[in-house]
Amino acid sequence: MAYRETEKMRQRKAAVRQKITDCTYRCVAEGGFRNAKVTRIARMADVATGTIYRHFDSKEDLFAEIFRRATQHEVNKVADALAPPGDARERLERALRRFAERALEGPVMAWSLIAEPVDPKVEKERLAYRKAYADLFEQAIREGIEEGCIPDQNTRQSSTCLVGAVSESLVGPLSPSQTGQITTDKTDNNPLVDTIIRFCIQGLTGTRR
Amino acid sequence: MAYRETEKMRQRKAAVRQKITDCTYRCVAEGGFRNAKVTRIARMADVATGTIYRHFDSKEDLFAEIFRRATQHEVNKVADALAPPGDARERLERALRRFAERALEGPVMAWSLIAEPVDPKVEKERLAYRKAYADLFEQAIREGIEEGCIPDQNTRQSSTCLVGAVSESLVGPLSPSQTGQITTDKTDNNPLVDTIIRFCIQGLTGTRR
DNA sequence: CAAAAGAATGAATCATGATTCATTAAACTT
DNA sequence: AAGTTTAATGAATCATGATTCATTCTTTTG
């Protein structure tokens, strides 16, 4: 017998793979999937282009993995914001705010996840992503209805309106090229976000705060 | 002297040009700008690919023209809906409904105009398009504020939220490939549209109808 | 260390589609 | 009808970028 994968090798391979995914993520965050050419990723990760194909069957597969990783992260953030105690309305407001702030911090990534055209395998991931958000918001709206602080309505459709209002307002206008035209101050008192949140909550509850 | 363009020729050229733009429009309506390859347009219009370059400097220019044509049409439709008498709230509701119905009738075109990534020259047209919508809605909101039927607010931002909520709800979910999964009944009593409109009006006015 | 196996390389190949341009056809003018 | 000018043609060329694969480098094992 002549060769068997050793632990050291396993780790080294994992490290390379990790570097590739990290660089892909960075490329996408910078300029969307359009911007993430295999050659560029390879250069950035300091490997040969062929190496990428040793770790992934195709660019599409690589992208799908990145997409999954990114969306899990985002959805978790929003889920976290929804978790703490409070009435449904408060919690929804918190979640929307988190969603909006995340989008403002990384508008290009947000746009890529929400709206950039992608290959079929990635589109499949996107469906799951949309569903995850819709489920989160829907659940909260439903709880609000039970609690009586939100009037009865089609929860799924409302949830979609929420995502639409926020994402279009924040990432739609400055979608592809023109980044950095929005004041991305880390502090969460961005008046734009406030306006959007108010619109959403009113759309949901039909009452002015 | 040897040659001077005659009326007949002028008309024939105009006809060819028209045929090219028509076919481009159809291609885009079917599958977005992605789908509108020069070769396909040429085949469809029954001209040689080179002929297209006799009428347009580049594909980008052709696209820009199509985009302009399409958006003028859409914006006019919405402006029409905004024109008839009524209080601002009624008129806004009518305009939003028109906007939504148009999007439902041609979801792919709507998506192309709103969200599909396009070349710089086309993106420039899109900015004008967005602005046209924003201006329309904004003006109506402002009138509503004066009339007292809409509370004071940032009219520009609210207007963006309107466009976002509607477009995401209608064309976002079924953006690229999967058309025809929505019940596109011509009758204007689509419950999905009703839900969205209600959400928007509430978001704007803060009152349940 | 030599043999064996896997990993990495990156130039070459393929695929897609826009654009060009030498050639042909058509339209005017006298 | 011959000469001149513009229009149309579509195969060839260019540009971009994904993918392959013969070759080279590393690791493992006896």
Side-chain angles (χ1 to χ4, degrees):
Chain A
M1 190 212 303
Y3 187 101
R4 231 169 57 87
E5 190 174 64
T6 187
E7 181 54 27
K8 177 184 158 199
M9 251 296 116
R10 198 157 20 249
Q11 291 195 344
R12 178 176 305 184
K13 279 209 291 181
V16 169
R17 193 190 156 97
Q18 182 68 35
K19 195 153 56 148
I20 291 171
T21 53
D22 286 351
C23 292
T24 306
Y25 187 97
R26 268 204 287 153
C27 279
V28 175
E30 273 167 29
F33 287 101
R34 263 193 307 191
N35 183 54
K37 330 264 188 218
V38 176
T39 47
R40 177 198 278 248
I41 296 166
R43 199 171 337 113
M44 194 184 284
D46 208 36
V47 299
T49 58
T51 302
I52 288 175
Y53 287 86
R54 172 160 284 286
H55 290 273
F56 298 90
D57 283 347
S58 68
K59 195 178 80 147
E60 208 178 334
D61 288 289
L62 167 57
F63 280 6
E65 181 160 326
I66 296 305
F67 195 98
R68 205 174 317 122
R69 196 220 274 189
T71 54
Q72 271 166 6
H73 191 226
E74 293 304 317
V75 169
N76 285 344
K77 289 276 182 191
V78 170
D80 287 350
L82 219 38
D87 71 14
R89 183 172 161 157
E90 282 173 45
R91 293 186 301 119
L92 260 169
E93 183 164 338
R94 209 157 47 215
L96 283 171
R97 189 174 296 277
R98 178 71 62 91
F99 179 49
E101 281 162 3
R102 297 285 307 167
L104 268 186
E105 279 168 33
V108 175
M109 180 54 86
W111 170 74
S112 290
L113 299 184
I114 292 168
E116 184 177 9
V118 290
D119 290 311
K121 275 186 187 170
V122 182
E123 189 63 35
K124 227 159 125 187
E125 297 295 333
R126 177 176 284 159
L127 283 186
Y129 167 60
R130 283 186 181 282
K131 184 158 172 12
Y133 269 135
D135 286 350
L136 280 181
F137 286 129
E138 221 187 316
Q139 178 58 27
I141 297 174
R142 202 172 285 125
E143 287 165 13
I145 295 174
E146 271 170 31
E147 288 174 18
C149 64
I150 294 178
D152 193 23
Q153 61 198 280
N154 182 319
T155 53
R156 171 56 52 130
Q157 280 169 17
S158 298
S159 147
T160 307
C161 285
L162 293 179
V163 174
V166 174
S167 55
E168 169 78 7
S169 300
L170 295 179
V171 317
L174 68 152
S175 49
S177 43
Q178 63 274 44
T179 318
Q181 292 179 356
I182 267 191
T183 52
T184 318
D185 51 355
K186 293 286 174 180
T187 58
D188 59 355
N189 53 9
N190 189 313
L192 170 57
V193 172
D194 287 339
T195 304
I196 295 165
I197 304 285
R198 183 176 320 122
F199 182 94
C200 286
I201 295 294
Q202 283 180 189
L204 226 41
T205 64
T207 44
R208 260 172 106 60
R209 98 179 37 221
Chain B
M1 190 211 303
Y3 188 102
R4 230 169 59 86
E5 190 174 65
T6 188
E7 182 54 27
K8 177 183 158 199
M9 249 298 113
R10 201 161 13 252
Q11 291 195 345
R12 179 176 303 185
K13 278 208 292 180
V16 170
R17 194 190 156 96
Q18 183 67 35
K19 195 152 58 147
I20 291 170
T21 54
D22 286 351
C23 291
T24 306
Y25 187 97
R26 268 204 286 155
C27 279
V28 174
E30 272 166 30
F33 288 100
R34 264 193 309 190
N35 182 54
K37 330 266 188 218
V38 176
T39 47
R40 175 197 280 248
I41 296 166
R43 198 171 337 113
M44 194 183 285
D46 207 37
V47 299
T49 58
T51 302
I52 288 175
Y53 286 87
R54 172 160 284 283
H55 289 273
F56 298 91
D57 283 348
S58 68
K59 193 178 80 147
E60 208 177 333
D61 287 289
L62 168 57
F63 279 6
E65 180 160 325
I66 296 305
F67 195 98
R68 205 174 318 121
R69 193 220 275 190
T71 54
Q72 271 166 5
H73 191 227
E74 294 303 316
V75 169
N76 285 343
K77 289 276 182 192
V78 170
D80 287 349
L82 218 39
D87 72 13
R89 182 171 160 158
E90 283 172 44
R91 293 186 302 119
L92 261 169
E93 184 165 336
R94 209 159 45 215
L96 283 171
R97 189 174 297 277
R98 178 71 63 91
F99 179 47
E101 282 163 2
R102 297 285 309 166
L104 269 187
E105 279 169 32
V108 176
M109 180 55 85
W111 171 74
S112 290
L113 298 184
I114 293 167
E116 184 177 10
V118 290
D119 289 312
K121 276 186 186 168
V122 183
E123 187 63 34
K124 227 159 125 188
E125 297 294 333
R126 177 176 284 158
L127 283 185
Y129 168 61
R130 284 185 180 283
K131 182 158 172 15
Y133 269 135
D135 286 350
L136 281 181
F137 287 128
E138 221 187 316
Q139 179 56 29
I141 297 174
R142 201 171 287 125
E143 287 165 13
I145 295 174
E146 272 172 30
E147 290 173 17
C149 65
I150 295 177
D152 193 25
Q153 61 197 281
N154 182 319
T155 53
R156 173 55 53 126
Q157 279 169 18
S158 298
S159 147
T160 307
C161 285
L162 293 180
V163 174
V166 174
S167 55
E168 168 78 7
S169 299
L170 294 180
V171 316
L174 68 152
S175 50
S177 43
Q178 63 273 45
T179 318
Q181 294 179 356
I182 267 190
T183 53
T184 317
D185 51 355
K186 292 287 172 177
T187 59
D188 59 355
N189 54 8
N190 190 312
L192 170 56
V193 172
D194 287 339
T195 304
I196 295 165
I197 304 286
R198 182 176 319 123
F199 182 95
C200 285
I201 295 294
Q202 284 180 189
L204 226 41
T205 65
T207 43
R208 256 168 110 58
R209 104 178 34 218

